[in-house]
Amino acid sequence: MSNFQTWRRGVLALLLVGTGWVAAGCASTDARERGVAQRLYVLYCGEAQIPDISPWSPGYNVGKPAVFSDNCYLIRHGQDWMLWDSGYPDALAATPEGIVGPRSRAIRTRTLTSQLAEIGVDPTQITHLAFSHTHGDHVGNGNLFTAATLYIQQSEYDAAFGPEPGKYGFVPATYEKLRANPTMKLNGDFDVFGDGSVKILSTPGHTPGHQSLLVRLPKTGAVVLSGDAAHFEDNFVNRRVPEFNFNVEQSRQSMDKIDAVVKAEHAQLWINHDAKQSATIVHAPKFIE
Ligand SMILES: [Zn+2]
């Protein structure tokens, strides 16, 4: 095994530790808030095979296995491209059997870059970048997008780029280049394009500055991408919080907030790791309008 391979395996193993596998209502009648994003692409960004999902729902589902989907989302707005989450590292695709961590086996059979290329997008064309949070199954390809403006909650930034990222389960190797990106540090909700089409929602709890995304589309209507505010539908419905979350009470409040936004916007709620739901959603190169 070359030094690079050794390094890569080390980084991937660390990422598994970091992912947690181991280790106000927005409805507005404001006329300015009537924009829509033209297209939303859902990209395959890996999967996790989990023999026992009870750590995600303490006291429930003991011994129950599941597969977690892992999606990334590419939004077309005018001449801009925005990427929401980047999934497991593309390097994982070189290990078809995946990498086993204490709570799961992580697999990525297709790279993010190959899917972007299929759509005709080079990573340097991504002008807007945000992650639901900084765990390795979401920031695994962060370093690819150094040309983008990064939108991140101040509290998440401080955890990710501060002196102790490991304390939060974060592994900077895959995102540290973003330190030099133009960065918008947020303290709450944020209207990315200023027309209400794409809104970052502050939903802390899973991590200090976890966030979700409201996307308004011309035909589909509103969709809320809830990151890891809940990992699967049953946890969202019952407000169950994983034992490893940063803050349990914030986690519940964030699910309440998402619920309120979904109702106010008549939105669809897309739960990233819910494989059953993910299987019903059209994936790239097709897109949703
Ligand atoms: Zn995740």
PDB file of all heavy atoms in Angstrom, residues 117-148:
ATOM      1  N   ALA A 117     -20.043  16.006 -13.692  1.00  0.00           N
ATOM      2  CA  ALA A 117     -19.582  16.037 -15.087  1.00  0.00           C
ATOM      3  C   ALA A 117     -20.692  15.599 -16.038  1.00  0.00           C
ATOM      4  O   ALA A 117     -20.851  16.155 -17.126  1.00  0.00           O
ATOM      5  CB  ALA A 117     -18.353  15.130 -15.240  1.00  0.00           C
ATOM      6  N   GLU A 118     -21.465  14.635 -15.606  1.00  0.00           N
ATOM      7  CA  GLU A 118     -22.574  14.139 -16.425  1.00  0.00           C
ATOM      8  C   GLU A 118     -23.604  15.249 -16.676  1.00  0.00           C
ATOM      9  O   GLU A 118     -24.226  15.326 -17.735  1.00  0.00           O
ATOM     10  CB  GLU A 118     -23.226  12.958 -15.701  1.00  0.00           C
ATOM     11  CG  GLU A 118     -24.153  12.139 -16.551  1.00  0.00           C
ATOM     12  CD  GLU A 118     -24.655  10.908 -15.811  1.00  0.00           C
ATOM     13  OE1 GLU A 118     -24.551  10.849 -14.568  1.00  0.00           O
ATOM     14  OE2 GLU A 118     -25.169  10.011 -16.471  1.00  0.00           O
ATOM     15  N   ILE A 119     -23.754  16.129 -15.685  1.00  0.00           N
ATOM     16  CA  ILE A 119     -24.683  17.254 -15.830  1.00  0.00           C
ATOM     17  C   ILE A 119     -24.009  18.399 -16.601  1.00  0.00           C
ATOM     18  O   ILE A 119     -24.677  19.310 -17.098  1.00  0.00           O
ATOM     19  CB  ILE A 119     -25.129  17.744 -14.429  1.00  0.00           C
ATOM     20  CG1 ILE A 119     -25.855  16.617 -13.682  1.00  0.00           C
ATOM     21  CG2 ILE A 119     -26.033  18.957 -14.515  1.00  0.00           C
ATOM     22  CD1 ILE A 119     -26.019  16.892 -12.192  1.00  0.00           C
ATOM     23  N   GLY A 120     -22.675  18.347 -16.659  1.00  0.00           N
ATOM     24  CA  GLY A 120     -21.937  19.403 -17.358  1.00  0.00           C
ATOM     25  C   GLY A 120     -21.455  20.512 -16.435  1.00  0.00           C
ATOM     26  O   GLY A 120     -21.239  21.643 -16.874  1.00  0.00           O
ATOM     27  N   VAL A 121     -21.276  20.179 -15.172  1.00  0.00           N
ATOM     28  CA  VAL A 121     -20.841  21.176 -14.192  1.00  0.00           C
ATOM     29  C   VAL A 121     -19.467  20.799 -13.645  1.00  0.00           C
ATOM     30  O   VAL A 121     -19.260  19.677 -13.165  1.00  0.00           O
ATOM     31  CB  VAL A 121     -21.854  21.266 -13.023  1.00  0.00           C
ATOM     32  CG1 VAL A 121     -21.360  22.215 -11.948  1.00  0.00           C
ATOM     33  CG2 VAL A 121     -23.219  21.718 -13.545  1.00  0.00           C
ATOM     34  N   ASP A 122     -18.545  21.738 -13.736  1.00  0.00           N
ATOM     35  CA  ASP A 122     -17.231  21.565 -13.138  1.00  0.00           C
ATOM     36  C   ASP A 122     -17.295  22.106 -11.702  1.00  0.00           C
ATOM     37  O   ASP A 122     -18.000  23.093 -11.453  1.00  0.00           O
ATOM     38  CB  ASP A 122     -16.201  22.360 -13.951  1.00  0.00           C
ATOM     39  CG  ASP A 122     -14.790  22.094 -13.462  1.00  0.00           C
ATOM     40  OD1 ASP A 122     -14.173  21.115 -13.946  1.00  0.00           O
ATOM     41  OD2 ASP A 122     -14.309  22.846 -12.585  1.00  0.00           O
ATOM     42  N   PRO A 123     -16.571  21.477 -10.770  1.00  0.00           N
ATOM     43  CA  PRO A 123     -16.605  21.976  -9.380  1.00  0.00           C
ATOM     44  C   PRO A 123     -16.296  23.473  -9.257  1.00  0.00           C
ATOM     45  O   PRO A 123     -16.826  24.144  -8.364  1.00  0.00           O
ATOM     46  CB  PRO A 123     -15.541  21.133  -8.676  1.00  0.00           C
ATOM     47  CG  PRO A 123     -15.558  19.836  -9.414  1.00  0.00           C
ATOM     48  CD  PRO A 123     -15.819  20.213 -10.868  1.00  0.00           C
ATOM     49  N   THR A 124     -15.467  23.986 -10.173  1.00  0.00           N
ATOM     50  CA  THR A 124     -15.138  25.418 -10.091  1.00  0.00           C
ATOM     51  C   THR A 124     -16.325  26.311 -10.464  1.00  0.00           C
ATOM     52  O   THR A 124     -16.294  27.521 -10.228  1.00  0.00           O
ATOM     53  CB  THR A 124     -13.961  25.767 -11.025  1.00  0.00           C
ATOM     54  OG1 THR A 124     -14.339  25.415 -12.367  1.00  0.00           O
ATOM     55  CG2 THR A 124     -12.706  25.015 -10.635  1.00  0.00           C
ATOM     56  N   GLN A 125     -17.361  25.714 -11.055  1.00  0.00           N
ATOM     57  CA  GLN A 125     -18.559  26.496 -11.408  1.00  0.00           C
ATOM     58  C   GLN A 125     -19.547  26.626 -10.251  1.00  0.00           C
ATOM     59  O   GLN A 125     -20.540  27.355 -10.356  1.00  0.00           O
ATOM     60  CB  GLN A 125     -19.283  25.853 -12.601  1.00  0.00           C
ATOM     61  CG  GLN A 125     -18.534  25.968 -13.916  1.00  0.00           C
ATOM     62  CD  GLN A 125     -19.269  25.217 -15.012  1.00  0.00           C
ATOM     63  OE1 GLN A 125     -19.026  24.045 -15.268  1.00  0.00           O
ATOM     64  NE2 GLN A 125     -20.219  25.887 -15.641  1.00  0.00           N
ATOM     65  N   ILE A 126     -19.286  25.902  -9.166  1.00  0.00           N
ATOM     66  CA  ILE A 126     -20.169  26.019  -7.994  1.00  0.00           C
ATOM     67  C   ILE A 126     -19.850  27.355  -7.310  1.00  0.00           C
ATOM     68  O   ILE A 126     -18.755  27.552  -6.806  1.00  0.00           O
ATOM     69  CB  ILE A 126     -19.943  24.853  -7.006  1.00  0.00           C
ATOM     70  CG1 ILE A 126     -20.121  23.500  -7.696  1.00  0.00           C
ATOM     71  CG2 ILE A 126     -20.861  24.997  -5.789  1.00  0.00           C
ATOM     72  CD1 ILE A 126     -21.516  23.187  -8.155  1.00  0.00           C
ATOM     73  N   THR A 127     -20.826  28.247  -7.313  1.00  0.00           N
ATOM     74  CA  THR A 127     -20.602  29.591  -6.758  1.00  0.00           C
ATOM     75  C   THR A 127     -21.133  29.743  -5.344  1.00  0.00           C
ATOM     76  O   THR A 127     -20.740  30.658  -4.626  1.00  0.00           O
ATOM     77  CB  THR A 127     -21.295  30.638  -7.648  1.00  0.00           C
ATOM     78  OG1 THR A 127     -22.648  30.217  -7.883  1.00  0.00           O
ATOM     79  CG2 THR A 127     -20.575  30.785  -8.979  1.00  0.00           C
ATOM     80  N   HIS A 128     -22.055  28.856  -4.957  1.00  0.00           N
ATOM     81  CA  HIS A 128     -22.646  28.911  -3.619  1.00  0.00           C
ATOM     82  C   HIS A 128     -22.554  27.518  -3.005  1.00  0.00           C
ATOM     83  O   HIS A 128     -22.929  26.531  -3.650  1.00  0.00           O
ATOM     84  CB  HIS A 128     -24.110  29.348  -3.670  1.00  0.00           C
ATOM     85  CG  HIS A 128     -24.306  30.732  -4.246  1.00  0.00           C
ATOM     86  ND1 HIS A 128     -24.026  31.047  -5.547  1.00  0.00           N
ATOM     87  CD2 HIS A 128     -24.757  31.874  -3.669  1.00  0.00           C
ATOM     88  CE1 HIS A 128     -24.284  32.331  -5.755  1.00  0.00           C
ATOM     89  NE2 HIS A 128     -24.734  32.854  -4.638  1.00  0.00           N
ATOM     90  N   LEU A 129     -22.083  27.462  -1.772  1.00  0.00           N
ATOM     91  CA  LEU A 129     -21.834  26.173  -1.125  1.00  0.00           C
ATOM     92  C   LEU A 129     -22.316  26.223   0.319  1.00  0.00           C
ATOM     93  O   LEU A 129     -22.011  27.177   1.047  1.00  0.00           O
ATOM     94  CB  LEU A 129     -20.322  25.884  -1.145  1.00  0.00           C
ATOM     95  CG  LEU A 129     -19.826  24.633  -0.433  1.00  0.00           C
ATOM     96  CD1 LEU A 129     -20.314  23.367  -1.153  1.00  0.00           C
ATOM     97  CD2 LEU A 129     -18.294  24.634  -0.363  1.00  0.00           C
ATOM     98  N   ALA A 130     -23.068  25.214   0.702  1.00  0.00           N
ATOM     99  CA  ALA A 130     -23.458  25.100   2.111  1.00  0.00           C
ATOM    100  C   ALA A 130     -23.602  23.624   2.453  1.00  0.00           C
ATOM    101  O   ALA A 130     -23.909  22.796   1.595  1.00  0.00           O
ATOM    102  CB  ALA A 130     -24.771  25.837   2.377  1.00  0.00           C
ATOM    103  N   PHE A 131     -23.365  23.334   3.702  1.00  0.00           N
ATOM    104  CA  PHE A 131     -23.511  21.972   4.209  1.00  0.00           C
ATOM    105  C   PHE A 131     -24.543  21.990   5.329  1.00  0.00           C
ATOM    106  O   PHE A 131     -24.610  22.949   6.093  1.00  0.00           O
ATOM    107  CB  PHE A 131     -22.181  21.449   4.771  1.00  0.00           C
ATOM    108  CG  PHE A 131     -21.025  21.555   3.818  1.00  0.00           C
ATOM    109  CD1 PHE A 131     -20.069  22.553   3.967  1.00  0.00           C
ATOM    110  CD2 PHE A 131     -20.895  20.661   2.763  1.00  0.00           C
ATOM    111  CE1 PHE A 131     -18.997  22.653   3.092  1.00  0.00           C
ATOM    112  CE2 PHE A 131     -19.824  20.755   1.876  1.00  0.00           C
ATOM    113  CZ  PHE A 131     -18.876  21.754   2.045  1.00  0.00           C
ATOM    114  N   SER A 132     -25.307  20.917   5.428  1.00  0.00           N
ATOM    115  CA  SER A 132     -26.219  20.826   6.566  1.00  0.00           C
ATOM    116  C   SER A 132     -25.406  20.860   7.859  1.00  0.00           C
ATOM    117  O   SER A 132     -25.811  21.476   8.833  1.00  0.00           O
ATOM    118  CB  SER A 132     -27.066  19.554   6.476  1.00  0.00           C
ATOM    119  OG  SER A 132     -26.247  18.404   6.399  1.00  0.00           O
ATOM    120  N   HIS A 133     -24.244  20.209   7.818  1.00  0.00           N
ATOM    121  CA  HIS A 133     -23.336  20.222   8.967  1.00  0.00           C
ATOM    122  C   HIS A 133     -22.019  19.597   8.548  1.00  0.00           C
ATOM    123  O   HIS A 133     -21.858  19.203   7.389  1.00  0.00           O
ATOM    124  CB  HIS A 133     -23.961  19.501  10.167  1.00  0.00           C
ATOM    125  CG  HIS A 133     -24.234  18.042   9.928  1.00  0.00           C
ATOM    126  ND1 HIS A 133     -25.155  17.587   9.002  1.00  0.00           N
ATOM    127  CD2 HIS A 133     -23.702  16.919  10.493  1.00  0.00           C
ATOM    128  CE1 HIS A 133     -25.187  16.263   9.021  1.00  0.00           C
ATOM    129  NE2 HIS A 133     -24.304  15.839   9.902  1.00  0.00           N
ATOM    130  N   THR A 134     -21.085  19.486   9.478  1.00  0.00           N
ATOM    131  CA  THR A 134     -19.701  19.218   9.110  1.00  0.00           C
ATOM    132  C   THR A 134     -19.270  17.767   9.323  1.00  0.00           C
ATOM    133  O   THR A 134     -18.077  17.478   9.311  1.00  0.00           O
ATOM    134  CB  THR A 134     -18.792  20.218   9.879  1.00  0.00           C
ATOM    135  OG1 THR A 134     -19.396  21.523   9.815  1.00  0.00           O
ATOM    136  CG2 THR A 134     -17.427  20.348   9.263  1.00  0.00           C
ATOM    137  N   HIS A 135     -20.210  16.855   9.499  1.00  0.00           N
ATOM    138  CA  HIS A 135     -19.815  15.443   9.591  1.00  0.00           C
ATOM    139  C   HIS A 135     -19.333  14.936   8.232  1.00  0.00           C
ATOM    140  O   HIS A 135     -19.725  15.449   7.179  1.00  0.00           O
ATOM    141  CB  HIS A 135     -20.987  14.587  10.082  1.00  0.00           C
ATOM    142  CG  HIS A 135     -21.219  14.721  11.569  1.00  0.00           C
ATOM    143  ND1 HIS A 135     -22.444  14.494  12.147  1.00  0.00           N
ATOM    144  CD2 HIS A 135     -20.374  15.047  12.574  1.00  0.00           C
ATOM    145  CE1 HIS A 135     -22.340  14.669  13.467  1.00  0.00           C
ATOM    146  NE2 HIS A 135     -21.102  15.018  13.750  1.00  0.00           N
ATOM    147  N   GLY A 136     -18.490  13.875   8.287  1.00  0.00           N
ATOM    148  CA  GLY A 136     -17.779  13.406   7.105  1.00  0.00           C
ATOM    149  C   GLY A 136     -18.651  12.880   5.973  1.00  0.00           C
ATOM    150  O   GLY A 136     -18.192  12.805   4.829  1.00  0.00           O
ATOM    151  N   ASP A 137     -19.897  12.501   6.257  1.00  0.00           N
ATOM    152  CA  ASP A 137     -20.778  12.035   5.188  1.00  0.00           C
ATOM    153  C   ASP A 137     -21.475  13.209   4.493  1.00  0.00           C
ATOM    154  O   ASP A 137     -22.273  13.012   3.584  1.00  0.00           O
ATOM    155  CB  ASP A 137     -21.818  11.035   5.711  1.00  0.00           C
ATOM    156  CG  ASP A 137     -22.603  11.549   6.905  1.00  0.00           C
ATOM    157  OD1 ASP A 137     -22.044  12.313   7.707  1.00  0.00           O
ATOM    158  OD2 ASP A 137     -23.791  11.186   7.025  1.00  0.00           O
ATOM    159  N   HIS A 138     -21.126  14.436   4.898  1.00  0.00           N
ATOM    160  CA  HIS A 138     -21.715  15.633   4.286  1.00  0.00           C
ATOM    161  C   HIS A 138     -20.652  16.579   3.717  1.00  0.00           C
ATOM    162  O   HIS A 138     -20.910  17.296   2.749  1.00  0.00           O
ATOM    163  CB  HIS A 138     -22.596  16.369   5.304  1.00  0.00           C
ATOM    164  CG  HIS A 138     -23.734  15.523   5.778  1.00  0.00           C
ATOM    165  ND1 HIS A 138     -25.007  15.605   5.252  1.00  0.00           N
ATOM    166  CD2 HIS A 138     -23.773  14.505   6.691  1.00  0.00           C
ATOM    167  CE1 HIS A 138     -25.790  14.706   5.836  1.00  0.00           C
ATOM    168  NE2 HIS A 138     -25.054  14.016   6.710  1.00  0.00           N
ATOM    169  N   VAL A 139     -19.462  16.561   4.339  1.00  0.00           N
ATOM    170  CA  VAL A 139     -18.386  17.448   3.873  1.00  0.00           C
ATOM    171  C   VAL A 139     -17.237  16.669   3.243  1.00  0.00           C
ATOM    172  O   VAL A 139     -16.151  17.192   3.069  1.00  0.00           O
ATOM    173  CB  VAL A 139     -17.818  18.316   5.024  1.00  0.00           C
ATOM    174  CG1 VAL A 139     -18.871  19.247   5.562  1.00  0.00           C
ATOM    175  CG2 VAL A 139     -17.237  17.446   6.136  1.00  0.00           C
ATOM    176  N   GLY A 140     -17.503  15.415   2.860  1.00  0.00           N
ATOM    177  CA  GLY A 140     -16.433  14.549   2.379  1.00  0.00           C
ATOM    178  C   GLY A 140     -15.698  15.050   1.145  1.00  0.00           C
ATOM    179  O   GLY A 140     -14.563  14.668   0.893  1.00  0.00           O
ATOM    180  N   ASN A 141     -16.360  15.911   0.357  1.00  0.00           N
ATOM    181  CA  ASN A 141     -15.717  16.469  -0.844  1.00  0.00           C
ATOM    182  C   ASN A 141     -15.614  17.994  -0.772  1.00  0.00           C
ATOM    183  O   ASN A 141     -15.498  18.665  -1.802  1.00  0.00           O
ATOM    184  CB  ASN A 141     -16.494  16.053  -2.091  1.00  0.00           C
ATOM    185  CG  ASN A 141     -16.404  14.557  -2.318  1.00  0.00           C
ATOM    186  OD1 ASN A 141     -15.315  14.005  -2.499  1.00  0.00           O
ATOM    187  ND2 ASN A 141     -17.546  13.886  -2.279  1.00  0.00           N
ATOM    188  N   GLY A 142     -15.637  18.518   0.418  1.00  0.00           N
ATOM    189  CA  GLY A 142     -15.616  19.965   0.586  1.00  0.00           C
ATOM    190  C   GLY A 142     -14.475  20.644  -0.141  1.00  0.00           C
ATOM    191  O   GLY A 142     -14.659  21.684  -0.788  1.00  0.00           O
ATOM    192  N   ASN A 143     -13.296  20.054  -0.083  1.00  0.00           N
ATOM    193  CA  ASN A 143     -12.105  20.692  -0.655  1.00  0.00           C
ATOM    194  C   ASN A 143     -12.189  20.923  -2.162  1.00  0.00           C
ATOM    195  O   ASN A 143     -11.368  21.653  -2.722  1.00  0.00           O
ATOM    196  CB  ASN A 143     -10.862  19.852  -0.355  1.00  0.00           C
ATOM    197  CG  ASN A 143     -10.418  19.982   1.100  1.00  0.00           C
ATOM    198  OD1 ASN A 143     -10.772  20.942   1.769  1.00  0.00           O
ATOM    199  ND2 ASN A 143      -9.649  19.015   1.573  1.00  0.00           N
ATOM    200  N   LEU A 144     -13.157  20.295  -2.823  1.00  0.00           N
ATOM    201  CA  LEU A 144     -13.284  20.477  -4.282  1.00  0.00           C
ATOM    202  C   LEU A 144     -13.830  21.850  -4.661  1.00  0.00           C
ATOM    203  O   LEU A 144     -13.704  22.273  -5.808  1.00  0.00           O
ATOM    204  CB  LEU A 144     -14.243  19.424  -4.859  1.00  0.00           C
ATOM    205  CG  LEU A 144     -13.781  17.969  -4.888  1.00  0.00           C
ATOM    206  CD1 LEU A 144     -14.935  17.090  -5.356  1.00  0.00           C
ATOM    207  CD2 LEU A 144     -12.580  17.807  -5.805  1.00  0.00           C
ATOM    208  N   PHE A 145     -14.455  22.528  -3.706  1.00  0.00           N
ATOM    209  CA  PHE A 145     -15.275  23.689  -4.077  1.00  0.00           C
ATOM    210  C   PHE A 145     -14.713  25.010  -3.545  1.00  0.00           C
ATOM    211  O   PHE A 145     -15.406  25.808  -2.902  1.00  0.00           O
ATOM    212  CB  PHE A 145     -16.717  23.449  -3.620  1.00  0.00           C
ATOM    213  CG  PHE A 145     -17.274  22.168  -4.171  1.00  0.00           C
ATOM    214  CD1 PHE A 145     -17.319  21.019  -3.402  1.00  0.00           C
ATOM    215  CD2 PHE A 145     -17.688  22.100  -5.502  1.00  0.00           C
ATOM    216  CE1 PHE A 145     -17.799  19.819  -3.927  1.00  0.00           C
ATOM    217  CE2 PHE A 145     -18.160  20.914  -6.047  1.00  0.00           C
ATOM    218  CZ  PHE A 145     -18.215  19.779  -5.252  1.00  0.00           C
ATOM    219  N   THR A 146     -13.468  25.232  -3.883  1.00  0.00           N
ATOM    220  CA  THR A 146     -12.762  26.393  -3.334  1.00  0.00           C
ATOM    221  C   THR A 146     -13.164  27.710  -3.999  1.00  0.00           C
ATOM    222  O   THR A 146     -12.773  28.775  -3.531  1.00  0.00           O
ATOM    223  CB  THR A 146     -11.242  26.204  -3.475  1.00  0.00           C
ATOM    224  OG1 THR A 146     -10.962  25.844  -4.834  1.00  0.00           O
ATOM    225  CG2 THR A 146     -10.738  25.111  -2.557  1.00  0.00           C
ATOM    226  N   ALA A 147     -13.929  27.652  -5.095  1.00  0.00           N
ATOM    227  CA  ALA A 147     -14.334  28.896  -5.770  1.00  0.00           C
ATOM    228  C   ALA A 147     -15.654  29.450  -5.229  1.00  0.00           C
ATOM    229  O   ALA A 147     -16.052  30.558  -5.570  1.00  0.00           O
ATOM    230  CB  ALA A 147     -14.480  28.648  -7.277  1.00  0.00           C
ATOM    231  N   ALA A 148     -16.312  28.683  -4.378  1.00  0.00           N
ATOM    232  CA  ALA A 148     -17.669  29.049  -3.941  1.00  0.00           C
ATOM    233  C   ALA A 148     -17.661  29.920  -2.691  1.00  0.00           C
ATOM    234  O   ALA A 148     -16.738  29.881  -1.885  1.00  0.00           O
ATOM    235  CB  ALA A 148     -18.462  27.774  -3.661  1.00  0.00           C
TER     236      ALA A 148
END
